[in-house]
Amino acid sequence: MDAGTAKDCVLVRVLERDSGDLGFVKDEEILKSVMMSFYFGGVETMKVSMSNFMLAMTLHTHAQRKAQEEIDKVVGSHGLPSYEHRASLPYVEALYREVNRWRPVAPSSVPRATINDDVYKGYYIPKGTIVLPNIWALTRNEDKYPDPESFQPERFLNLDGTLNNDTASYVFGSGRRICPGIHMADNVVWLMMVNVLATFNISKARDDETGNEIDVDADACTDGISR
């Protein structure tokens, strides 16, 4: 902005409106942190979620086919799925939730800090303590998710095929610092997944010389805030 080369965006408009005053945010470092949160909450979450979805569909073609059959039955073959179809596609919704559970985008969430002294299960936690919520452990709770390493969209369905109450929303964090991009990521990622399922068959690549399938390592991931 100082050089006059900044592109138009929400942040530029906020700063221009306040004539150099950061307005509702008094600390420039906090403002940078907020904008990074929006980036991670939206762009990064969607990118990683779609990578995990493609991995799951490559490895679990039975789930892919079942979802495609539901889409064909509800939407047909003469158009693409849209938001209005979401409530009518329970298996696709269950598959979406299972992708989030099976490979949570941020396994250890992001750092939080306690605002008051607290005691949890006998542990004293002083005010200002940095806390990392263990989302990976939540997704691997065998009491709730038997055989947690397997990919089973049926976990999120009742016996009659309707969705149960487990939305796996904890993968987006919780409390006042829940992922700011949760609604955008939820809607856009679901829409991308259902349209990929409606238009493509996903499978392992084949070796050009032998024609054999090339194995995929389900755990060949990069680790950081996002996985």
Side-chain angles (χ1 to χ4, degrees):
M1 290 180 66
D2 288 340
T5 58
K7 295 182 179 179
D8 182 48
C9 69
V10 173
L11 181 58
V12 167
R13 294 183 187 185
V14 168
L15 294 178
E16 287 178 341
R17 182 193 67 194
D18 294 327
S19 301
D21 180 6
L22 294 177
F24 64 92
V25 180
K26 301 301 182 183
D27 187 312
E28 188 172 356
E29 290 304 313
I30 293 177
L31 183 61
K32 291 178 182 178
S33 176
V34 169
M35 297 310 295
M36 284 301 295
S37 294
F38 273 103
Y39 170 80
F40 180 77
V43 178
E44 185 70 10
T45 298
M46 291 188 287
K47 180 180 72 175
V48 176
S49 293
M50 284 305 294
S51 296
N52 292 334
F53 163 72
M54 296 299 288
L55 174 63
M57 295 301 91
T58 302
L59 295 173
H60 305 286
T61 54
H62 65 286
Q64 177 187 167
R65 287 193 298 270
K66 192 169 181 178
Q68 289 171 329
E69 290 170 1
E70 183 180 66
I71 293 168
D72 289 342
K73 181 179 179 180
V74 173
V75 181
S77 57
H78 300 293
L80 293 175
S82 64
Y83 293 119
E84 66 184 22
H85 296 111
R86 188 167 186 175
S88 302
L89 297 168
Y91 187 82
V92 172
E93 181 71 24
L95 186 148
Y96 163 75
R97 296 179 188 182
E98 179 67 344
V99 169
N100 289 336
R101 183 209 66 83
W102 183 64
R103 288 292 184 272
V105 171
S108 61
S109 190
V110 292
R112 304 286 193 259
T114 53
I115 59 175
N116 296 301
D117 292 346
D118 198 4
V119 176
Y120 179 74
K121 291 187 176 181
Y123 289 94
Y124 171 61
I125 306 172
K127 177 182 177 179
T129 299
I130 300 299
V131 179
L132 287 169
N134 193 342
I135 290 177
W136 184 263
L138 295 177
T139 67
R140 265 61 192 168
N141 179 357
E142 294 189 11
D143 292 336
K144 189 171 185 178
Y145 305 115
D147 191 14
E149 294 303 325
S150 64
F151 186 83
Q152 299 178 26
E154 291 77 9
R155 301 179 196 277
F156 297 94
L157 296 173
N158 298 312
L159 293 178
D160 62 358
T162 58
L163 289 161
N164 61 32
N165 294 326
D166 183 5
T167 62
S169 60
Y170 53 78
V171 300
F172 292 99
S174 59
R176 298 189 309 142
R177 294 293 180 262
I178 196 169
C179 171
I182 179 173
H183 301 297
M184 179 176 69
D186 175 70
N187 289 327
V188 175
V189 171
W190 180 89
L191 191 62
M192 289 193 292
M193 287 183 182
V194 74
N195 275 276
V196 168
L197 288 166
T199 52
F200 295 97
N201 290 321
I202 305 163
S203 61
K204 295 179 181 178
R206 292 185 178 274
D207 184 275
D208 290 335
E209 295 182 1
T210 65
N212 296 326
E213 287 185 340
I214 300 173
D215 286 335
V216 176
D217 183 355
D219 293 312
C221 301
T222 55
D223 289 322
I225 293 179
S226 61
R227 185 175 193 265

